[in-house]
Amino acid sequence: MHQLDLPAPGLADAPAFRDPSAAAAWLARQPLAQPAQMQAALQEAIAAVDASDIAAADRLGILDRLRSAVILAQSALEPRYSRKPLPLPVADAALFSAARRLWRTLAVAYLRIVPQLPPAEAVVPLHRGAVALRVEQYAHFLAAYELPEELMGLLYGVLQAAESLGVQQVPQTDADYKHIHESHIAGQVAWAFLLQFADPYHLSMAQLTVANRAFSRWRELAGFRNGPDEDLRARTLPLTALAGEVAAGRWLDVRPVARKIRKRIEALEAGEAPEALKLGRELSSTACIRLLHQLDEALRPGAGAPARETGSLGLVVGVENIYALLAGERLDPGGGKPSRTVNHQRMEIFGFDNLVTPVGAQRRVKVPAETWQSAQGQVSRAAEAGTRLLSPCLAARELEPGQAARLCVLEGLHMSPEDRLQGWLRCYPAPVQAASIQAASQVGAEARLPVFVLGTGQGLSVVLPAAAGLRPGSRLNLEGTVVAPVMLGEVLERGSDFVRYAAMPQ
């Protein structure tokens, strides 16, 4: 059998029970309605069982009893750290850290039993260990924290162990995950690799949910190979990209998954509803099509080659700060017209705007900026060196004096093991015009909202704050720009603080 590289059992108190019945009795005395307390109690209990001399069969039964409680506690705590602005508050970050530690402890406790059982029985703890590692991976994606280096390597090691015993495709039912029905170890590992290849930090919470659901259904279509497929239509991805040298020479064949993705796109374009295609209700048909194209592109060899810019850059975040940087003035939140519009009106009437600022001269206002570092295609900053951000979000890049600032999107934000906030910066083509519109606020009063106008003619689009609440078909009277009124078209992309629409001049 392939030897799994597991950490040695840590120092732990003697377990409070030594058989499944006693474990059930212990659980009955625990504060099941207090998930954070249960998380801590289960961590101690599982670590004690893992370090004990309890017989393998009893240990497996105990872990199965505790596992159900782990799943309930973790499900209750997930909303505390799922896709919140980063860095997480201290209390929420501590809950996430405890969650990933508990899943790893549970996985290792299962996997340590494997060598003590014959192959026909070893498949159960191997399968349970694979599931625990996959769910630990997903917890990192929910919290937007980078995976520890060893996680995917350990998950691949589970596949190797299963292959050496000939049990990698033995179906297993799982009472704790009834919605999955039967699955086998190779399918669980493939599911984790598919989601990792899909670049999950670039997905919104809704997109991540839909992608995870889709891969859970297509997990067993992907196959592991000992070499790449030379067919020009092949879709084989190297596992070394994710699992390191332990997976050297192994590849994942995703062509059947890509075929499923294409069929779902065709069905959606033909009018099928996402729910009817078992994609759920989280995304509209248009958003589902966009996501599936994104997944299809991610599951291609060589996808995602980064840019190579290095150095430091200044970024301005927050739509009002970005407006101030691009427009050279603050937006009047009370609904008054921007001074640029007033100046244009004065010019039309009197032939000059005012005695202080010539027409066309951009006034500078003090706008707070954050210093980020760019390296190997990513941008990053220290966690405490700026505001909390939820990607994708708008940012404006400060350039050298005399150069116009660029409107950009910060996407794929996640926390690195070094406690740095990192992601990718995607900038829209220049030029960008900063404008404004009069709109009803949430309290019913009129307010002025910033608008960023991109492109011209048929390629025109506008970026609005997410809080604007406007729909396709709305007519915008833009002020502070030479662009005529526009009609909003389809939604092109959504972020945490913005929506970009196609637009048509009226």
Side-chain angles (χ1 to χ4, degrees):
M1 172 191 158
H2 171 78
Q3 294 297 313
L4 289 164
D5 185 14
L6 301 177
L11 296 176
D13 295 333
F17 38 77
R18 296 187 66 85
D19 61 67
S21 297
W26 176 84
L27 277 173
R29 298 192 300 270
Q30 302 309 305
L32 299 177
Q34 303 296 325
Q37 294 182 37
M38 281 302 303
Q39 188 182 58
L42 288 163
Q43 174 68 38
E44 292 181 7
I46 294 170
V49 170
D50 184 38
S52 74
D53 60 353
I54 298 172
D58 283 337
R59 197 182 305 188
L60 180 57
I62 290 170
L63 292 176
D64 279 350
R65 294 293 179 92
L66 300 180
R67 178 178 187 252
S68 299
V70 169
I71 292 170
L72 287 174
Q74 301 289 51
S75 296
L77 293 172
E78 277 179 2
R80 290 282 301 273
Y81 56 77
S82 292
R83 290 307 171 100
K84 289 189 170 183
L86 296 173
L88 290 172
V90 174
D92 295 342
L95 284 176
F96 164 67
S97 181
R100 65 181 180 181
R101 186 169 62 251
L102 180 53
W103 284 121
R104 180 67 63 87
T105 301
L106 180 62
V108 169
Y110 271 119
L111 297 175
R112 207 181 304 281
I113 302 172
V114 172
Q116 305 174 42
L117 297 172
E121 297 176 21
V123 64
V124 175
L126 273 173
H127 186 272
R128 298 280 197 270
V131 171
L133 292 172
R134 180 186 57 74
V135 179
E136 180 196 343
Q137 177 206 41
Y138 193 62
H140 282 80
F141 298 156
L142 289 175
Y145 272 62
E146 188 174 323
L147 298 184
E149 288 185 2
E150 76 281 356
L151 176 56
M152 297 305 289
L154 181 55
L155 192 55
Y156 176 73
V158 174
L159 176 66
Q160 286 182 297
E163 288 176 339
S164 69
L165 296 174
V167 298
Q168 72 271 27
Q169 293 186 344
V170 175
Q172 294 293 305
T173 57
D174 193 334
D176 289 314
Y177 291 102
K178 293 180 180 178
H179 62 285
I180 296 177
H181 307 298
E182 285 187 340
S183 68
H184 52 58
I185 293 167
Q188 289 286 334
V189 177
W191 179 358
F193 275 98
L194 285 168
L195 199 55
Q196 186 80 16
F197 276 119
D199 200 1
Y201 301 115
H202 275 84
L203 304 180
S204 68
M205 186 68 237
Q207 289 176 321
L208 178 63
T209 300
V210 173
N212 190 54
R213 181 183 296 123
F215 289 145
S216 77
R217 298 181 59 81
W218 305 334
R219 61 185 180 269
E220 289 165 9
L221 296 176
F224 294 94
R225 297 173 54 93
N226 291 325
D229 191 334
E230 300 301 331
D231 190 317
L232 293 178
R233 297 172 298 175
R235 292 281 195 98
T236 47
L237 306 176
L239 298 187
T240 50
L242 303 183
E245 289 305 311
V246 296
R250 296 298 300 273
W251 300 69
L252 186 67
D253 181 6
V254 300
R255 187 176 176 185
V257 177
R259 189 178 299 118
K260 279 285 188 182
I261 290 174
R262 289 195 299 272
K263 288 184 178 298
R264 290 295 186 274
I265 292 173
E266 291 169 1
L268 289 166
E269 290 177 338
E272 288 269 17
E275 190 174 5
L277 298 172
K278 302 188 184 302
L279 295 172
R281 301 179 179 179
E282 289 83 2
L283 298 176
S284 67
S285 292
T286 301
C288 268
I289 291 171
R290 190 177 297 121
L291 170 63
L292 291 171
H293 278 299
Q294 189 173 336
L295 297 180
D296 181 61
E297 189 62 31
L299 296 179
R300 291 179 182 274
R308 292 298 175 188
E309 179 184 3
T310 59
S312 62
L313 59 148
L315 293 181
V316 173
V317 297
V319 290
E320 292 186 358
N321 285 333
I322 293 170
Y323 176 90
L325 178 70
L326 297 178
E329 62 184 3
R330 288 284 177 185
L331 189 65
D332 179 7
K337 291 185 178 181
S339 59
R340 285 180 300 151
T341 301
V342 174
N343 290 343
H344 284 311
Q345 291 174 346
R346 288 177 179 151
M347 186 69 182
E348 291 174 358
I349 298 172
F350 303 112
F352 63 89
D353 60 336
N354 59 49
L355 298 178
V356 180
T357 308
V359 158
Q362 188 180 53
R363 292 188 307 280
R364 298 292 297 174
V365 295
K366 189 172 180 61
V367 181
E370 300 178 357
T371 300
W372 290 63
Q373 301 299 318
S374 177
Q376 297 183 341
Q378 286 190 323
V379 293
S380 69
R381 66 162 168 81
E384 70 281 358
T387 57
R388 295 175 62 209
L389 299 173
L390 179 62
S391 68
C393 61
L394 280 184
R397 179 174 178 178
E398 293 187 314
L399 297 177
E400 297 297 324
Q403 294 182 314
R406 298 286 300 276
L407 183 66
C408 309
V409 177
L410 267 173
E411 53 191 8
L413 289 176
H414 59 284
M415 297 299 297
S416 76
E418 297 77 30
D419 200 31
R420 291 183 66 82
L421 181 60
Q422 61 187 30
W424 290 263
L425 189 67
R426 169 171 55 88
C427 292
Y428 294 115
V432 177
Q433 298 182 62
S436 65
I437 58 169
Q438 195 84 11
S441 69
Q442 294 180 349
V443 296
E446 288 290 309
R448 190 159 294 283
L449 299 176
V451 182
F452 306 106
V453 183
L454 307 171
T456 58
Q458 296 300 313
L460 189 68
S461 65
V462 296
V463 178
L464 288 159
L470 297 176
R471 297 172 178 268
S474 300
R475 187 175 187 272
L476 304 186
N477 292 311
L478 301 176
E479 298 183 358
T481 176
V482 297
V483 177
V486 299
M487 182 79 73
L488 295 184
E490 67 173 325
V491 173
L492 299 176
E493 61 179 312
R494 290 184 184 274
S496 62
D497 61 352
F498 75 95
V499 183
R500 184 165 74 94
Y501 298 85
M504 295 151 285
Q506 295 295 293

